[in-house]
Amino acid sequence: MPGKMSVILLGTGASFRFFRKKNVEAKPSEGADRILGLRDEILAECPEAQVEGKVGRSGSFEVTINGKEVFSKLKQGGFPVCDEVVNSVIEACKGLDPPHVEEVDKSGCSIQ
């Protein structure tokens, strides 16, 4: 059985922590909308995941799964294709090494 599942979503303008039952310690800022939507999609597919949002460097959006960075906007020049992030989390939930998210979303990845 896989161990504890940890997902860290790092973005500008968002300082909050999410727990498995979706309890939020602080109200998210407007800039946190992308992280909130992605958090909800991750928890829908992998409810045992502990998803945490943190403030990053200016212009950043990074995803780390179980200590492995799988996406960096600063390195890749855009936001990730959100379905790829969720698929990477699903692989980690199965106890597999989470794959790196390669594809950048040209539409802006607006999660609703």
Side-chain angles (χ1 to χ4, degrees), residues 2-74:
K4 194 176 200 179
M5 178 69 189
S6 169
V7 180
I8 297 175
L9 305 173
L10 194 71
T12 303
S15 180
F16 44 86
R17 180 176 176 86
F18 305 104
F19 293 99
R20 187 174 159 190
K21 295 183 181 182
K22 300 185 183 182
N23 293 329
V24 180
E25 289 181 342
K27 292 183 181 178
S29 67
E30 189 174 321
D33 289 345
R34 184 179 310 272
I35 292 175
L36 282 168
L38 186 53
R39 183 244 6 222
D40 290 345
E41 288 188 34
I42 289 168
L43 290 174
E45 295 294 331
C46 188
E48 67 273 19
Q50 179 179 347
V51 183
E52 182 177 349
K54 291 185 176 183
V55 174
R57 298 173 285 181
S58 179
S60 68
F61 188 86
E62 299 172 4
V63 180
T64 303
I65 301 171
N66 292 339
K68 177 184 176 185
E69 182 180 274
V70 298
F71 185 85
S72 171
K73 177 184 169 209
L74 296 174

